[in-house]
Amino acid sequence: MEMCLRYPVLKRLAAGLLAGAAFSATALPASAAVDNDLPVRWNTGGAVWSTNLDAFKTFIEDGDVVDRGLAGGISRSGWTASELRTGLAKSYSVDVVGVTRFLYSDAGVKFLKNQTRSYFPYWSMSTYAVQGLRGAIIADAADGSISSAGIMAALPTDFRLADTCGTYDGKQNICAEGKCQGEAQCTSLLSWYVFLPACIQANQMTDPVAQVRTAPAPTFTPIPEAEPIRGLW
């Protein structure tokens, strides 16, 4: 039975900070930076469907969709499958010190709270949401670059997307305000992931005062798909 205890969580966060994560469409890691294998638990009402990291890796590398939760997330993302594959793998150059300074600043904490509106650790919910997302971003930034997929792989614990009958609505606050197009792109989890690393790059602190900046809309060339996306049905 899974439990969410304070000190194991902090221990795994520390491990994530030291380990880092390198994740790209051409060279994906065999495992996450820390012991986490369920980056998304799609929680709607009382139903939960978990999508593991391998399903995301398979999608990004090959375009194959082998998980029904992921298939639904793709269809509700506001992006084509090819755009998502490229967007999730796209790498952004960062300075880990500048990223860390921002994420620990008052503006950075406010940013992290805003970004974990409906997406947070499965068991502790919003209690450790800021620490969990911050740890994943810094871990991925340790090698001087970040990506959506790298942040996902470095999550220190299972995360859920909560849509729980009024308590949480499952919508995410896309960080690049005004850059997304349409309801799906501006609220879906996978679109949130596409925009997140660009926003972190734009807000890394190279000066003493942090001010949240809007990242430009991501631009990328979609990966050609040799055959249609395959789901479970």
Side-chain angles (χ1 to χ4, degrees), residues 16 46 71 79 92 97 121 126 169 171 180 185 187-188 198 208 212 228 231:
W79 302 89
Y92 296 80
V97 174
S126 59
D169 61 9
K171 295 180 179 179
C180 53
Q185 272 193 19
T187 61
S188 68
V212 176

Short mmCIF file of all heavy atoms in Angstrom, two decimals, residues 16 46 71 79 92 97 121 126 169 171 180 185 187-188 198 208 212 228 231:
data_model
loop_
_atom_site.label_atom_id
_atom_site.label_comp_id
_atom_site.label_asym_id
_atom_site.label_seq_id
_atom_site.Cartn_x
_atom_site.Cartn_y
_atom_site.Cartn_z
N GLY A 16 16.45 13.49 -6.43
CA GLY A 16 16.16 14.03 -7.75
C GLY A 16 17.02 15.23 -8.09
O GLY A 16 17.45 15.41 -9.22
N GLY A 46 -14.51 9.20 -9.38
CA GLY A 46 -13.92 8.15 -8.57
C GLY A 46 -13.03 7.21 -9.35
O GLY A 46 -12.47 6.26 -8.79
N ALA A 71 -3.98 7.97 -24.82
CA ALA A 71 -4.75 8.23 -26.04
C ALA A 71 -5.78 9.32 -25.80
O ALA A 71 -5.95 10.23 -26.63
CB ALA A 71 -5.44 6.94 -26.51
N TRP A 79 -3.40 19.57 -29.69
CA TRP A 79 -2.29 19.42 -30.62
C TRP A 79 -2.45 18.12 -31.39
O TRP A 79 -3.11 17.20 -30.94
CB TRP A 79 -0.95 19.37 -29.87
CG TRP A 79 -0.65 20.56 -29.02
CD1 TRP A 79 -0.99 20.74 -27.70
CD2 TRP A 79 0.06 21.74 -29.41
NE1 TRP A 79 -0.53 21.95 -27.25
CE2 TRP A 79 0.11 22.58 -28.28
CE3 TRP A 79 0.65 22.16 -30.60
CZ2 TRP A 79 0.73 23.84 -28.30
CZ3 TRP A 79 1.27 23.40 -30.63
CH2 TRP A 79 1.30 24.22 -29.49
N TYR A 92 15.47 22.75 -24.18
CA TYR A 92 15.71 24.18 -23.98
C TYR A 92 16.96 24.36 -23.11
O TYR A 92 17.06 23.74 -22.05
CB TYR A 92 14.53 24.85 -23.30
CG TYR A 92 13.25 24.82 -24.10
CD1 TYR A 92 12.46 23.67 -24.14
CD2 TYR A 92 12.82 25.94 -24.83
CE1 TYR A 92 11.28 23.64 -24.88
CE2 TYR A 92 11.65 25.91 -25.56
CZ TYR A 92 10.89 24.76 -25.59
OH TYR A 92 9.72 24.72 -26.32
N VAL A 97 21.57 27.08 -11.98
CA VAL A 97 21.58 28.05 -10.87
C VAL A 97 20.47 29.08 -11.07
O VAL A 97 19.72 29.41 -10.14
CB VAL A 97 22.95 28.73 -10.74
CG1 VAL A 97 22.90 29.83 -9.69
CG2 VAL A 97 24.02 27.71 -10.40
N PRO A 121 1.15 15.62 -6.62
CA PRO A 121 1.43 14.26 -6.13
C PRO A 121 0.14 13.53 -5.78
O PRO A 121 -0.78 14.09 -5.18
CB PRO A 121 2.29 14.51 -4.89
CG PRO A 121 3.01 15.78 -5.20
CD PRO A 121 1.99 16.63 -5.92
N SER A 126 -2.06 18.65 -3.04
CA SER A 126 -1.36 19.93 -3.18
C SER A 126 -0.34 20.20 -2.08
O SER A 126 0.43 21.14 -2.18
CB SER A 126 -2.38 21.07 -3.21
OG SER A 126 -3.15 21.09 -2.03
N ASP A 169 -11.04 20.62 -11.20
CA ASP A 169 -11.71 20.51 -12.50
C ASP A 169 -10.84 19.92 -13.59
O ASP A 169 -11.25 19.84 -14.75
CB ASP A 169 -12.24 21.87 -12.94
CG ASP A 169 -11.16 22.92 -13.11
OD1 ASP A 169 -9.96 22.58 -13.06
OD2 ASP A 169 -11.51 24.10 -13.29
N LYS A 171 -8.35 21.11 -15.08
CA LYS A 171 -7.75 22.08 -16.01
C LYS A 171 -6.43 22.57 -15.46
O LYS A 171 -6.25 22.74 -14.27
CB LYS A 171 -8.71 23.26 -16.21
CG LYS A 171 -10.01 22.90 -16.90
CD LYS A 171 -10.89 24.11 -17.08
CE LYS A 171 -12.20 23.76 -17.78
NZ LYS A 171 -13.08 24.94 -17.93
N CYS A 180 -1.38 30.08 -26.25
CA CYS A 180 -2.13 28.88 -26.62
C CYS A 180 -3.36 29.27 -27.44
O CYS A 180 -3.82 30.41 -27.38
CB CYS A 180 -2.55 28.10 -25.37
SG CYS A 180 -3.45 29.10 -24.15
N GLN A 185 -5.86 23.54 -25.88
CA GLN A 185 -4.45 23.94 -25.76
C GLN A 185 -4.21 24.76 -24.50
O GLN A 185 -3.13 24.73 -23.92
CB GLN A 185 -4.01 24.76 -26.98
CG GLN A 185 -3.49 23.95 -28.13
CD GLN A 185 -2.78 24.82 -29.16
OE1 GLN A 185 -2.37 25.93 -28.88
NE2 GLN A 185 -2.63 24.28 -30.37
N THR A 187 -5.80 24.53 -21.55
CA THR A 187 -6.14 23.92 -20.26
C THR A 187 -5.69 22.48 -20.10
O THR A 187 -5.69 21.96 -18.99
CB THR A 187 -7.67 23.94 -20.03
OG1 THR A 187 -8.33 23.18 -21.06
CG2 THR A 187 -8.21 25.36 -20.04
N SER A 188 -5.28 21.80 -21.18
CA SER A 188 -4.99 20.37 -21.08
C SER A 188 -3.61 20.11 -20.46
O SER A 188 -2.69 20.93 -20.56
CB SER A 188 -5.06 19.71 -22.46
OG SER A 188 -3.99 20.16 -23.29
N ALA A 198 9.70 26.02 -21.82
CA ALA A 198 9.96 27.33 -22.43
C ALA A 198 9.74 28.43 -21.40
O ALA A 198 10.48 29.42 -21.35
CB ALA A 198 9.07 27.54 -23.65
N PRO A 208 18.99 39.83 -9.97
CA PRO A 208 18.54 39.65 -8.59
C PRO A 208 17.03 39.56 -8.39
O PRO A 208 16.57 38.99 -7.42
CB PRO A 208 19.09 40.88 -7.86
CG PRO A 208 20.19 41.38 -8.73
CD PRO A 208 19.76 41.06 -10.13
N VAL A 212 7.94 37.02 -13.38
CA VAL A 212 7.45 35.96 -14.25
C VAL A 212 7.23 36.50 -15.66
O VAL A 212 6.52 37.49 -15.86
CB VAL A 212 6.13 35.36 -13.71
CG1 VAL A 212 5.58 34.33 -14.67
CG2 VAL A 212 6.39 34.72 -12.35
N PRO A 228 -0.97 5.47 -38.92
CA PRO A 228 -1.89 6.10 -37.95
C PRO A 228 -1.54 5.74 -36.52
O PRO A 228 -0.95 4.70 -36.24
CB PRO A 228 -3.26 5.53 -38.35
CG PRO A 228 -3.10 5.06 -39.77
CD PRO A 228 -1.66 4.62 -39.86
N GLY A 231 -4.35 2.93 -30.84
CA GLY A 231 -4.80 2.91 -29.46
C GLY A 231 -5.06 1.49 -29.01
O GLY A 231 -4.52 0.53 -29.57
#
